[in-house]
């Protein structure tokens, strides 16, 4: 069955959805996006995603075509129209359609496109085994704090991982891991300290990252927000990633090297569990 998607004010079957060939999202990746997860038909941490969306837009001097409340209404309508129980709502705002020119056009209405994807987020089988990652050079641009649709570099990293038989890639800059292809990266040291890169233009400020760090602090886990090296990652006691659609996902091998005994770590499993419980509580 085909999905109902939202395009610039209209709910249409996905086959009917149309966007201009002059849309700057298509020509320049001149657009930003957000992904909010859905559990039991309800949005998780959506306010955080809308706040980050505003920041991405403002960094690119782009206007939202609708208010936050309207975005939320559309998200909810799509969940209902598609009878989505678990998965995600994707939303993308592009600068709109104008004759091709590098300079931002004046007076053009931005485009808003939204759709749902169904996915087992809680009962993801990978959470039981953990995922494998490889490391590769971070060849992305230098404003990774802006959530733009210009995602070819992470697509290439993901394909490199796939061709190496791994699930994902952690990207390296100057010897230190920045983040995963579409997630934030963490290690846990033998003494139980959680290490993840500090916020800055080098990484995306994950909404899940913020929630995970808060929960970790509440569990009295020591946190170090700093760059960590590939070698430190290889020798970590535990490793994991976070994102809106992976939640907390164990990493059990890096560059073909097992992390500890090659099974999801204890603190990682605990953080995943607490994250899910907290998310479920937030929608009750
Ligand atoms: N870093 C990158 C590069 C990402 O693409 C994502 C997910 N879009 C994240 C981190 C995780 O962010 P969030 O927890 O908000 O999904």
């Amino acid at each position: 069955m085909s999905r109902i998607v939202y395009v610039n004010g209209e709910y249409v079957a996905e086959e009917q959805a149309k966007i201009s060939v002059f849309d700057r999202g298509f020509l320049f990746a001149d657009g930003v996006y957000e992904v909010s997860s859905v559990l039991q038909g309800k949005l998780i941490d959506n306010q955080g995603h809308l706040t980050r969306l505003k920041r991405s837009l403002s960094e690119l001097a782009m206007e939202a075509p609708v208010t936050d409340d309207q975005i939320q209404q559309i998200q909810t309508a799509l969940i209902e129209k598609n009878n989505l129980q678990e998965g995600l709502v994707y939303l993308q705002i592009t600068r709109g359609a104008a004759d091709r020119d590098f300079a931002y056009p004046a007076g053009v209405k931005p485009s808003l496109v939204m759709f749902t994807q169904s996915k087992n987020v809680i009962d993801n089988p990978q959470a039981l085994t953990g995922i494998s990652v490889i490391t590769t050079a971070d060849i992305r641009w230098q404003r990774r704090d802006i959530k733009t649709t210009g995602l070819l570099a992470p697509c290439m990293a993901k394909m490199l991982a796939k061709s190496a038989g791994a699930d994902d890639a952690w990207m390296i800059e100057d010897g230190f891991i920045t983040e995963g292809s579409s997630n934030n990266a963490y290690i846990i040291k033998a003494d139980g300290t959680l290490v993840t890169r500090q916020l800055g233009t080098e990484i995306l400020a994950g909404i899940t990252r913020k929630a995970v760090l808060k929960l970790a602090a509440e569990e009295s886990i020591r946190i170090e927000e700093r760059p960590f090296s590939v070698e430190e990652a290889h020798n970590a006691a535990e490793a994991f990633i976070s994102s809106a659609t992976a939640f907390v996902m164990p990493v059990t091998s890096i560059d073909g090297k097992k992390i500890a005994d090659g099974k999801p770590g204890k603190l990682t499993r605990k953080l995943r569990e607490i994250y899910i419980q907290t998310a479920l509580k937030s929608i009750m």
Side-chain angles (χ1 to χ4, degrees), residues 146-163:
I146 307 174
K147 197 166 168 64
T148 80
T149 57
L151 292 173
L152 206 45
C155 290
M156 289 168 73
K158 185 89 181 179
M159 289 314 292
L160 203 66
K162 278 198 156 198
S163 61

Side-chain angles (χ1 to χ4, degrees), residues 6 111 190 213 242:
Y6 174 94
S111 297
L213 291 186
S242 77

Side-chain angles (χ1 to χ4, degrees), residues 33 49 52 140 147 179-184 204 206-209 242-244:
Y33 75 107
H49 290 283
R52 186 174 61 191
R140 296 175 300 166
K147 197 166 168 64
E179 58 188 331
S181 68
S182 60
N183 43 65
N184 290 113
L204 183 74
I207 302 306
T208 320
R209 177 188 182 280
S242 77
S243 77

Side-chain angles (χ1 to χ4, degrees), residues 86-160:
E86 195 167 317
L88 61 96
V89 183
Y90 176 93
L91 81 88
Q92 161 171 326
I93 298 177
T94 58
R95 202 178 301 275
D99 202 10
R100 188 176 183 278
D101 182 2
F102 279 58
Y104 301 164
V108 166
K109 194 169 179 220
S111 297
L112 173 59
V113 169
M114 286 165 66
F115 56 81
T116 56
Q117 283 182 331
S118 171
K119 182 181 159 145
N120 271 347
V121 190
I122 293 183
D123 289 328
N124 184 337
Q126 286 188 313
L128 300 175
T129 56
I131 62 163
S132 56
V133 303
I134 55 155
T135 56
T136 184
D138 195 335
I139 61 165
R140 296 175 300 166
W141 77 331
Q142 294 180 2
R143 291 301 309 275
R144 302 158 195 156
D145 55 314
I146 307 174
K147 197 166 168 64
T148 80
T149 57
L151 292 173
L152 206 45
C155 290
M156 289 168 73
K158 185 89 181 179
M159 289 314 292
L160 203 66

